[in-house]
């Protein structure tokens, strides 16, 4: 096998830039299900890799597992504007507020001093990962659709655009102001390869809101934060499950550079997106449902993706998280094929539009 000549960070940034690379990045764009790791620990995965007691332990363990499998490691610390005093939703999908009075009551527990969001020990470990050369650092945080949904709860959130429009805008404005402090604090201290906003604004039928609501409630947030991230020469990625065929154009219009995970079962097609938005990058789209079927099915899926890999800035990865139905042995077969196809791309990258943020550098 040809020897790698680039660090994971160099490769990732060059790939997005349309520049020559030694191979495509070999990554997992989302950590594995805990049930998947539990299963693999009974089938050959070292038992110590199945211990995830705290949030920081979880991220460190995921990074260790990536190293065990020989992946380009992706370290993705997650930042939310909450504290230990912020109320916790009573159940998944429930909210912690309903109206202006609730927000006024909860607000003092939100938006903590940014230096409290990352410990010195964890920060030192992040820097050590980058110096090692095999790690891509991706900051993750809620977007202006995700954060209010956590506050209102899933159902009330969708009503809030109409019932509490001014409150919605106030919450997003407060959150953006906090990020304007958090992002420089982190980006001035650590080497960061991508800043990701999680939204999950789409389902299998398309976007959950209209273009008009996006433009009024979400776009101002991105027009405020994306230039800040770009000023550091760092691309912005959007995570949204479901069918993003409409939303990809909306996010491109506010300066986003990438989208993931492109879930195949939602009917998405990365080849369409590469035609619609050729300067954007895309990650994911490998149909996780075929992985339990063995090598022949997985190779067929890579053959489906290869033309898009050859066209441009598409990094194949499991299209969400590897489910527990996938055996340890089948996952190792997937990795073998992933490495094989990562070297089938045109490494000279001729004719590929660069990521706009890198084109400025």
């Amino acid at each position: 096998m040809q020897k790698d000549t680039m660090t994971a960070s160099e490769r990732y940034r060059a790939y997005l830039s349309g520049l020559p690379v030694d191979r495509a990045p070999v990554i997992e764009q989302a950590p594995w299900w805990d049930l998947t790791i539990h299963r693999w620990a009974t089938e050959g995965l070292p038992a110590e890799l199945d211990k995830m007691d705290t949030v920081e332990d979880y991220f460190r363990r995921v990074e260790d597992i990536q190293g065990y499998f020989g992946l380009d490691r992706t370290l993705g610390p997650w930042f939310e504007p909450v504290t230990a005093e912020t109320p916790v939703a009573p159940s998944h999908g429930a909210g912690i507020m309903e109206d202006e009075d609730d927000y006024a009551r909860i607000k003092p527990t939100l938006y903590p001093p940014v230096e409290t969001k990352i410990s010195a020990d964890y920060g030192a470990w992040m820097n050590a990962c980058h110096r090692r050369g095999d790690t891509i650092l991706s900051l993750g945080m809620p977007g202006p659709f995700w954060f209010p949904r956590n506050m209102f709860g899933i159902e009330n959130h969708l009503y809030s655009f109409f019932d509490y429009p001014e409150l919605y805008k106030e919450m997003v404005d407060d959150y953006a102001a906090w990020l304007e402090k958090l992002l420089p604090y982190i980006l001035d201290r650590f080497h960061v390869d991508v800043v990701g906003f999680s939204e999950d604004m789409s389902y299998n039928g398309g976007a959950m809101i209209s273009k008009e609501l996006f433009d009024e409630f979400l776009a101002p947030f991105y027009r405020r934060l994306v230039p800040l991230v770009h000023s550091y020469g760092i691309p912005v990625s959007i995570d949204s499950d479901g069918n993003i065929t409409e939303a990809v154009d909306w996010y491109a219009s506010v300066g986003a550079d990438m989208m993931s995970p492109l879930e195949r079962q939602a009917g998405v097609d990365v080849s369409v997106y590469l035609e619609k938005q050729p300067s954007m990058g895309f990650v994911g789209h490998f149909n996780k449902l075929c992985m339990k079927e063995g090598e022949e099915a997985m190779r067929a899926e890579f053959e489906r993706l290869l033309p898009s890999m050859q066209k441009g800035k598409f990094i194949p990865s499991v299209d969400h998280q590897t489910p527990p139905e996938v055996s340890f042995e089948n996952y190792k077969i997937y990795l073998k094929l992933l490495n094989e196809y990562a070297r089938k791309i045109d490494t000279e990258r001729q004719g590929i539009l660069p990521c706009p943020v890198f084109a400025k550098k």
Side-chain angles (χ1 to χ4, degrees):
M1 178 179 289
Q2 179 182 345
K3 180 177 174 55
D4 295 340
T5 59
M6 309 176 79
T7 68
S9 177
E10 291 169 343
R11 181 181 302 111
Y12 185 78
R13 294 172 70 87
Y15 194 86
L16 289 174
S17 304
L19 297 174
V21 290
D22 52 358
R23 59 168 171 81
V26 174
I27 64 174
E28 280 290 9
Q29 61 87 29
W32 304 270
W33 289 12
D34 56 349
L35 294 177
T36 307
I37 297 301
H38 297 338
R39 171 180 177 167
W40 291 349
T42 70
E43 297 176 340
L45 184 72
E48 63 268 19
L49 297 179
D50 190 27
K51 300 185 186 301
M52 304 179 183
D53 299 325
T54 69
V55 173
E56 287 194 354
D57 283 346
Y58 171 78
F59 284 112
R60 294 190 189 204
R61 198 67 63 220
V62 165
E63 206 259 355
D64 288 340
I65 295 171
Q66 293 173 357
Y68 173 82
F69 285 129
L71 292 160
D72 295 332
R73 306 187 197 203
T74 52
L75 178 59
W78 175 256
F79 298 93
E80 292 185 86
V82 298
T83 66
E85 286 72 43
T86 306
V88 178
S91 61
H92 178 72
I96 61 173
M97 59 169 281
E98 292 185 6
D99 54 22
E100 295 92 344
D101 291 340
D102 287 339
Y103 182 60
R105 174 177 52 82
I106 294 171
K107 185 174 176 178
T109 76
L110 300 171
Y111 318 118
V114 295
E115 62 270 16
T116 67
K117 296 303 291 184
I118 183 167
S119 69
D121 177 64
Y122 191 72
W125 177 68
M126 286 168 52
N127 277 332
C129 289
H130 169 66
R131 287 194 300 270
R132 199 172 55 219
D134 60 359
T135 302
I136 300 160
L137 180 57
S138 170
L139 301 187
M141 57 205 67
F145 187 83
W146 182 300
F147 170 58
R149 182 184 58 205
N150 282 357
M151 299 289 286
F152 283 110
I154 292 174
E155 183 174 359
N156 287 343
H157 169 236
L158 293 175
Y159 286 115
S160 70
F161 292 99
F162 307 97
D163 294 344
Y164 301 104
E166 295 310 312
L167 174 59
Y168 196 109
K169 292 174 183 177
E170 177 186 352
M171 293 165 58
V172 170
D173 185 68
D174 289 343
Y175 177 43
W178 182 74
L179 288 178
E180 285 175 331
K181 299 175 183 176
L182 177 75
L183 285 167
Y185 179 80
I186 295 175
L187 300 181
D188 284 338
R189 289 165 174 79
F190 305 101
H191 176 97
V192 174
D193 294 297
V194 61
V195 171
F197 293 98
S198 292
E199 291 286 51
D200 285 1
M201 195 190 69
S202 297
Y203 70 114
N204 62 357
M208 294 183 189
I209 61 174
S210 67
K211 176 66 160 53
E212 290 74 20
L213 289 179
F214 178 89
D215 287 342
E216 181 177 356
F217 291 90
L218 276 62
F221 171 95
Y222 284 108
R223 293 198 172 103
R224 183 172 170 180
L225 272 300
V226 169
L228 171 60
V229 177
H230 281 180
S231 72
Y232 285 85
I234 298 171
V236 169
S237 180
I238 305 296
D239 172 274
S240 181
D241 302 343
N243 190 326
I244 61 169
T245 303
E246 293 177 295
V248 67
D249 295 329
W250 305 352
Y251 284 107
S253 74
V254 294
D257 306 294
M258 303 168 57
M259 290 197 75
S260 65
L262 285 66
E263 293 179 299
R264 179 62 174 165
Q265 55 269 35
V268 305
D269 186 345
V270 71
S271 66
V272 171
Y273 304 156
L274 289 168
E275 292 293 328
K276 283 160 61 82
Q277 298 295 340
S279 66
M280 290 184 75
F282 299 94
V283 182
H285 205 41
F286 184 94
N287 187 355
K288 60 181 174 285
L289 300 184
C290 78
M291 298 173 73
K292 64 183 179 182
E293 304 298 334
E295 182 166 355
E296 183 176 350
M298 288 187 274
R299 184 174 291 279
E301 179 67 356
F302 275 113
E303 286 293 326
R304 180 183 74 86
L305 298 177
L306 185 59
S308 292
M309 293 172 64
Q310 296 287 18
K311 282 182 181 178
K313 299 173 301 182
F314 163 55
I315 303 174
S317 181
V318 177
D319 66 2
H320 206 142
Q321 294 173 290
T322 303
E325 291 80 13
V326 178
S327 69
F328 189 51
E329 185 59 33
N330 274 349
Y331 187 72
K332 289 190 288 185
I333 293 172
Y334 163 78
L335 292 178
K336 179 192 73 171
L337 295 172
L338 179 61
N339 279 281
E340 175 186 331
Y341 280 82
R343 297 185 183 280
K344 289 189 175 184
I345 64 163
D346 175 10
T347 55
E348 292 304 312
R349 321 283 288 141
Q350 297 298 319
I352 298 170
L353 287 177
C355 172
V357 61
F358 291 131
K360 298 175 184 176
K361 292 295 178 179

